[in-house]
């Protein structure tokens, strides 16, 4: 066998894995960062932390999906 063999088809993540992982990343980003925003809102009373936390969570989750599956 040669050192320069093509990688097998099973080397990367499967389509089914991606279909479960992408929504999981998005939802977990919203829950974690939205929860942090909710916590800061409850501590400070400043209502802007909730939507900012949700937006940050979605943006970071989309970035993670791009890094994992987009390249």
């Amino acid at each position: 066998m040669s050192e320069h063999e093509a990688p097998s088809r099973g080397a990367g993540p499967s389509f089914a894995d991606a279909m479960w992982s992408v929504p999981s990343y998005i939802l977990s980003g919203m829950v974690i960062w939205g929860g942090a925003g909710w916590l800061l809102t409850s501590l400070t009373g400043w209502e802007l932390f909730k939507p900012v936390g949700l937006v940050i969570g979605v943006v970071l989750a989309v970035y993670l999906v791009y890094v994992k599956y987009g390249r």
Side-chain angles (χ1 to χ4, degrees):
M1 296 216 142
S2 172
E3 288 183 28
H4 302 288
E5 279 187 30
S8 67
R9 287 188 160 210
S14 71
F15 182 73
D17 291 340
M19 290 305 295
W20 281 105
S21 296
V22 171
S24 299
Y25 277 120
I26 302 295
L27 287 174
S28 63
M30 289 173 63
V31 167
I32 291 171
W33 287 97
W38 173 79
L39 181 64
L40 285 172
T41 296
S42 65
L43 292 175
T44 63
W46 195 38
E47 290 292 324
L48 191 62
F49 282 123
K50 281 187 234 177
V52 168
L54 287 172
V55 169
I56 288 173
V58 170
V59 168
L60 289 176
V62 168
Y63 173 73
L64 286 175
V65 168
Y66 170 72
V67 166
K68 187 167 185 177
Y69 297 108
R71 293 185 180 181

